[in-house]
Amino acid sequence: EKRRAELKARGGEGDERAVSTLYVRFTDEGTKKTITQADLRDKFYSFGEISSVRMYADKGAFVEFTTPQATQHAIASANRSNIGGRKIMVNWARVPKRGAVSAGP
C-alpha cells in the first residue's frame, strides 16, 4: 500500500516504473566477463543505500535502492557505462503486471 501511494505521488497509477528499482542489462559489447552481485554492489553503492540485488542469469539484474532519488542518480550516472569492461544499460525497472513474471525493459 505504501508503494502504491509513492507511485501515485510520483506520477499516478499509469506510471509503470518501479519506485526505487532499476534494471541493469548486460550487453554483449566489450568483454564477456560474468558480472556478479558483488560487482553490481561495488558499481552502485556510491549512489545510495541498496536494499536488494536480484540477478537473472547472465542477462541482467534488478538493483533496488531505499530512495527513488538514489535510483534516478544511479540511472543518470551509470547508463551506458561498463563493469569490468562489459557494457551495461541502466533504466527504471517496470512494475510487473498482475500475474506476469517479473522482467526488465
Side-chain angles (χ1 to χ4, degrees), residues 45-59:
Y45 82 95
S46 64
F47 302 114
E49 185 179 347
I50 296 171
S51 56
S52 70
V53 175
R54 294 181 314 268
M55 303 288 295
Y56 288 91
D58 200 32
K59 298 186 184 303

Side-chain angles (χ1 to χ4, degrees), residues 21-22 28 30 36 65 71 79 104:
T21 306
L22 57 82
D28 290 332
T36 66
F65 288 91
T71 309
N79 189 32

Side-chain angles (χ1 to χ4, degrees), residues 3-74:
R3 283 197 171 209
R4 185 178 298 262
E6 289 174 356
L7 180 62
K8 193 170 189 173
R10 201 186 72 231
E13 295 289 335
D15 192 345
E16 293 183 355
R17 295 184 304 177
V19 176
S20 300
T21 306
L22 57 82
Y23 179 72
V24 182
R25 181 171 58 90
F26 310 147
T27 70
D28 290 332
E29 296 178 41
T31 67
K32 298 293 183 193
K33 176 189 185 315
T34 298
I35 296 174
T36 66
Q37 196 174 101
D39 293 330
L40 288 165
R41 287 186 181 276
D42 288 346
K43 178 76 173 181
F44 291 102
Y45 82 95
S46 64
F47 302 114
E49 185 179 347
I50 296 171
S51 56
S52 70
V53 175
R54 294 181 314 268
M55 303 288 295
Y56 288 91
D58 200 32
K59 298 186 184 303
F62 291 94
V63 179
E64 184 175 9
F65 288 91
T66 56
T67 67
Q69 295 80 9
T71 309
Q72 180 68 48
H73 184 53

